Amino acid sequence: MASLFRVPEVAAGATEATLSEWVVAEDQAVTADQTIVVIETDKATVEVEAGQDGVLLRQLARGGETVQVGAPMALFGTESERGADVDALLAGLGVLSGDGPATPAVPAPAAMGSVHAAPEPETAAEPEVAEEQAAPAHARSGSPAPAAGPAPTGGRVFASPLARRILAEAGIPLHGVTGSGPGGRIVRKDAELAVASGRTAPADEPAVAAPPPAAAPVPAAGTRRPAPAAGWHDEPHSRVRRAIASRLTTSKQTVPHFYVKRTARLDALLDLRRQLNEVSATRISVNDLVLRAVAVTHTQVPEANAVWTEDAVRVFDSVDVAVAIASQRGLVTPVLRDVDRTAPSAVAATVRDFVARADAGTLAQRDLEGGSIAVTNLGMYGVEEFAAIINPPQSAILAVGAAAPTAVVDDGVLAVATVGAFVLSVDHRVVDGALAARWMAQLVRNLEQPLRLLA
């Protein structure tokens, strides 16, 4: 029986996403675990599975469109419904079909699982999305899609937002890439192929000669020349940068932050790291050991392993810790699971996998959800200490500064030790000052006696 495939809530609280590209064509049979469409969120490119066996009878949204969470995105059916009147099937499901994206004729019921219909205020679409939405629709009334072909050498060039970003980062113009999508549209694989081959604009593309500069008028005697304009240029906001700005602004405006600072001697930790790396197949960093120390501290001070909700303080049984990664696509904070029960080498391997997938844009949404605390480290840049902004709904974030040789006093004797600074940003609604101080004291003990991390 025909059913609607709706846009899932691929990001917590999101009301829209960008449909990057369809992986399967119309009238193609799919299995439940088969990826059928790629959706671009603010932080990752998410591959969405069909969730059911059947036939994709019609795509109800085009690649490059901004689609509302809960909106119909495709029509599924059975083998017996191939060749059926798709418009009639859509009408029977309460969806109007025309030349544009399908829209519900009546409020459609929410789909299973993670799909939640949500109203979205009118906002201006991003330029690259708005440009593509002006493209003529195809395959909405049964007409065949135009054959793929090279992108036109002049005028508008259609490309998915992800493909545009990949080409822009590589400095490759759209006119220099051949699109394999409908109507010559450039999709991700075209952009990746162009980058891999080092392709640039076609050699036979005529260069446009710049007009000769106009002669500057000679000012009359006694008049002042205008001051030259200041040099500057605008870098358009990416979706990731907009998301980061919105999320962190909301955090500072709505979450009552306070900060606790401690220093810790790290000589024993550095020595343990050296010994572990002598036997570990995966290189372990100081940050990997800090992540492990944070998790162990949460087991020792479980009241801090909590987040704020509107109805209660939610205390977790497992210890999941997020790690801030400055990827090529922007800042992301994937979450490591059960870190309190994970060996340092396994923590290191997971973090490296997250870094690779963050750069490739293949982090799944589940990788970005959960946890009560995050760790962010700028020590490798020589930053001595800093205070970070909490990433809601988490209740804390630990900022790690650079470790450096420092004069210390042991029993009245001056000595030199490797000391690092740690600043904990805390949500005061969840964690009080005394609790935060107790947590930090336990963290310092774990860092200065690192065998605790192996127990």
Coordinates of all heavy atoms in Angstrom, one line a residue, residues 149-153 157-159 163 167 171-180 184-195 197 199-202 205:
G149 N 23.8 16.1 -18.7 CA 24.8 16.7 -19.7 C 25.7 17.7 -19.0 O 25.6 18.0 -17.9
P150 N 26.5 18.3 -19.8 CA 27.4 19.3 -19.2 C 26.7 20.5 -18.8 O 25.7 20.9 -19.3 CB 28.4 19.6 -20.4 CG 27.6 19.3 -21.6 CD 26.7 18.1 -21.3
A151 N 27.3 21.1 -17.8 CA 26.7 22.4 -17.3 C 26.9 23.4 -18.3 O 27.8 23.5 -19.1 CB 27.5 22.8 -16.0
P152 N 25.9 24.3 -18.5 CA 26.0 25.3 -19.5 C 27.1 26.3 -19.3 O 27.6 26.5 -18.1 CB 24.6 26.1 -19.3 CG 24.2 25.8 -17.9 CD 24.7 24.4 -17.6
T153 N 27.6 26.8 -20.4 CA 28.8 27.7 -20.2 C 28.5 29.1 -19.9 O 29.3 29.9 -19.7 CB 29.6 27.6 -21.6 OG1 28.8 28.1 -22.6 CG2 30.1 26.2 -21.8
V157 N 23.9 28.1 -13.4 CA 24.4 26.7 -13.3 C 23.8 26.1 -12.1 O 23.9 26.6 -11.0 CB 26.0 26.7 -13.2 CG1 26.5 25.2 -13.0 CG2 26.6 27.3 -14.4
F158 N 23.2 24.9 -12.2 CA 22.5 24.3 -11.1 C 23.4 23.3 -10.5 O 24.0 22.4 -11.1 CB 21.2 23.6 -11.6 CG 20.2 24.6 -12.1 CD1 20.0 24.7 -13.5 CD2 19.5 25.4 -11.2 CE1 19.1 25.6 -14.0 CE2 18.6 26.4 -11.7 CZ 18.4 26.5 -13.1
A159 N 23.5 23.3 -9.1 CA 24.4 22.4 -8.4 C 23.8 22.3 -7.0 O 23.2 23.2 -6.5 CB 25.8 23.0 -8.4
A163 N 27.8 20.3 -3.4 CA 28.7 20.4 -4.5 C 29.3 21.8 -4.6 O 30.5 21.9 -4.9 CB 28.0 19.9 -5.8
L167 N 33.3 22.7 -4.4 CA 34.0 23.3 -5.5 C 34.6 24.7 -5.1 O 35.7 25.1 -5.5 CB 33.1 23.5 -6.7 CG 32.6 22.2 -7.4 CD1 31.6 22.4 -8.4 CD2 33.8 21.5 -8.0
G171 N 38.4 26.1 -5.2 CA 38.6 27.2 -6.1 C 38.3 26.8 -7.5 O 38.9 27.4 -8.5
I172 N 37.4 25.9 -7.7 CA 37.0 25.5 -9.1 C 35.6 26.1 -9.4 O 34.6 25.9 -8.7 CB 36.9 23.9 -9.1 CG1 38.2 23.3 -8.8 CG2 36.4 23.5 -10.5 CD1 38.2 21.8 -8.7
P173 N 35.5 26.8 -10.6 CA 34.3 27.4 -11.0 C 33.2 26.4 -11.4 O 33.6 25.4 -11.9 CB 34.7 28.4 -12.1 CG 35.9 27.7 -12.7 CD 36.6 27.1 -11.5
L174 N 32.0 26.7 -11.2 CA 30.9 25.8 -11.6 C 30.9 25.5 -13.1 O 30.6 24.4 -13.5 CB 29.5 26.4 -11.1 CG 29.3 26.5 -9.6 CD1 28.0 27.1 -9.4 CD2 29.3 25.1 -9.0
H175 N 31.2 26.6 -13.9 CA 31.2 26.4 -15.3 C 32.2 25.4 -15.8 O 32.1 25.0 -16.9 CB 31.4 27.8 -16.0 CG 30.2 28.7 -15.9 ND1 29.0 28.4 -16.6 CD2 30.0 29.8 -15.2 CE1 28.2 29.4 -16.3 NE2 28.7 30.2 -15.4
G176 N 33.2 25.1 -15.0 CA 34.2 24.2 -15.4 C 33.9 22.7 -15.1 O 34.8 21.9 -15.2
V177 N 32.7 22.4 -14.6 CA 32.4 21.1 -14.1 C 31.2 20.5 -14.9 O 30.2 21.3 -15.1 CB 32.1 21.0 -12.6 CG1 31.7 19.6 -12.1 CG2 33.3 21.6 -11.8
T178 N 31.3 19.3 -15.3 CA 30.2 18.6 -16.0 C 29.3 18.0 -15.0 O 29.7 17.2 -14.2 CB 30.7 17.6 -17.0 OG1 31.5 18.3 -18.0 CG2 29.5 16.9 -17.7
G179 N 28.0 18.3 -15.0 CA 27.0 17.7 -14.1 C 26.4 16.4 -14.6 O 26.1 16.3 -15.8
S180 N 26.2 15.4 -13.7 CA 25.6 14.2 -14.1 C 24.2 14.1 -13.6 O 23.5 13.0 -13.8 CB 26.5 13.0 -13.6 OG 26.5 13.0 -12.1
G184 N 21.7 18.2 -16.2 CA 23.1 18.7 -16.1 C 23.5 19.3 -14.7 O 24.5 19.9 -14.6
R185 N 22.7 19.0 -13.7 CA 22.9 19.5 -12.4 C 24.1 18.9 -11.8 O 24.3 17.7 -11.9 CB 21.7 19.2 -11.5 CG 21.7 19.8 -10.1 CD 20.4 19.6 -9.4 NE 20.4 20.2 -8.1 CZ 20.7 19.5 -7.0 NH1 21.1 18.2 -7.2 NH2 20.7 20.1 -5.8
I186 N 25.0 19.7 -11.1 CA 26.2 19.2 -10.5 C 25.9 18.7 -9.1 O 25.3 19.4 -8.3 CB 27.2 20.3 -10.4 CG1 27.6 20.9 -11.8 CG2 28.5 19.8 -9.8 CD1 28.4 22.1 -11.8
V187 N 26.2 17.4 -8.9 CA 26.0 16.8 -7.6 C 27.3 16.5 -6.9 O 28.4 16.7 -7.5 CB 25.2 15.5 -7.7 CG1 23.8 15.8 -8.2 CG2 25.8 14.5 -8.7
R188 N 27.3 15.9 -5.7 CA 28.5 15.7 -4.9 C 29.6 14.9 -5.7 O 30.7 15.3 -5.7 CB 28.1 15.0 -3.6 CG 29.4 14.7 -2.8 CD 29.0 14.1 -1.5 NE 28.3 12.8 -1.7 CZ 27.8 12.0 -0.7 NH1 28.0 12.4 0.6 NH2 27.2 10.9 -1.0
K189 N 29.2 13.8 -6.3 CA 30.2 13.0 -7.0 C 30.9 13.8 -8.1 O 32.1 13.5 -8.4 CB 29.6 11.7 -7.5 CG 28.6 11.9 -8.5 CD 28.0 10.5 -9.0 CE 26.9 10.7 -10.0 NZ 26.3 9.3 -10.4
D190 N 30.2 14.7 -8.8 CA 30.8 15.5 -9.8 C 31.8 16.4 -9.2 O 32.9 16.6 -9.8 CB 29.7 16.3 -10.6 CG 28.6 15.4 -11.2 OD1 29.0 14.3 -11.6 OD2 27.5 15.8 -11.2
A191 N 31.5 17.0 -8.1 CA 32.4 18.0 -7.5 C 33.7 17.2 -7.0 O 34.8 17.7 -7.1 CB 31.7 18.7 -6.3
E192 N 33.5 16.1 -6.3 CA 34.6 15.3 -5.8 C 35.5 14.9 -7.0 O 36.7 14.9 -6.9 CB 34.1 14.1 -5.0 CG 33.4 14.6 -3.7 CD 32.8 13.4 -3.0 OE1 32.6 12.3 -3.6 OE2 32.5 13.6 -1.8
L193 N 34.9 14.5 -8.1 CA 35.7 14.1 -9.3 C 36.5 15.2 -9.8 O 37.7 15.1 -10.2 CB 34.8 13.5 -10.4 CG 35.5 13.0 -11.6 CD1 36.4 11.9 -11.3 CD2 34.4 12.5 -12.7
A194 N 35.9 16.4 -9.8 CA 36.6 17.6 -10.4 C 37.7 18.0 -9.5 O 38.8 18.3 -9.9 CB 35.6 18.8 -10.5
V195 N 37.5 17.9 -8.2 CA 38.6 18.2 -7.2 C 39.8 17.2 -7.4 O 40.9 17.5 -7.4 CB 38.1 18.2 -5.8 CG1 39.2 18.4 -4.8 CG2 37.1 19.4 -5.6
S197 N 40.6 15.4 -9.9 CA 41.3 15.6 -11.2 C 42.0 16.9 -11.4 O 42.6 17.2 -12.4 CB 40.4 15.3 -12.4 OG 39.3 16.3 -12.4
R199 N 40.6 19.7 -11.9 CA 40.0 20.4 -13.1 C 39.8 21.9 -12.8 O 39.5 22.3 -11.7 CB 38.6 19.8 -13.4 CG 37.9 20.3 -14.6 CD 36.6 19.6 -14.8 NE 36.8 18.2 -14.8 CZ 35.8 17.3 -14.7 NH1 34.6 17.8 -14.6 NH2 36.0 16.0 -14.7
T200 N 39.9 22.7 -13.8 CA 39.7 24.1 -13.7 C 38.7 24.5 -14.8 O 38.2 23.7 -15.5 CB 41.0 25.0 -13.8 OG1 41.6 24.6 -15.1 CG2 41.9 24.6 -12.7
A201 N 38.6 25.8 -15.1 CA 37.7 26.2 -16.1 C 38.2 25.8 -17.5 O 39.4 25.6 -17.7 CB 37.6 27.8 -16.1
P202 N 37.3 25.4 -18.4 CA 37.7 25.0 -19.7 C 38.6 26.0 -20.4 O 38.5 27.2 -20.3 CB 36.3 24.9 -20.5 CG 35.3 24.8 -19.5 CD 35.8 25.6 -18.3
E205 N 37.3 28.5 -22.9 CA 36.3 29.5 -22.5 C 36.9 30.9 -22.7 O 38.0 31.2 -22.1 CB 36.0 29.2 -21.0 CG 34.9 30.2 -20.5 CD 34.5 29.8 -19.1 OE1 34.5 28.6 -18.7 OE2 34.2 30.7 -18.3

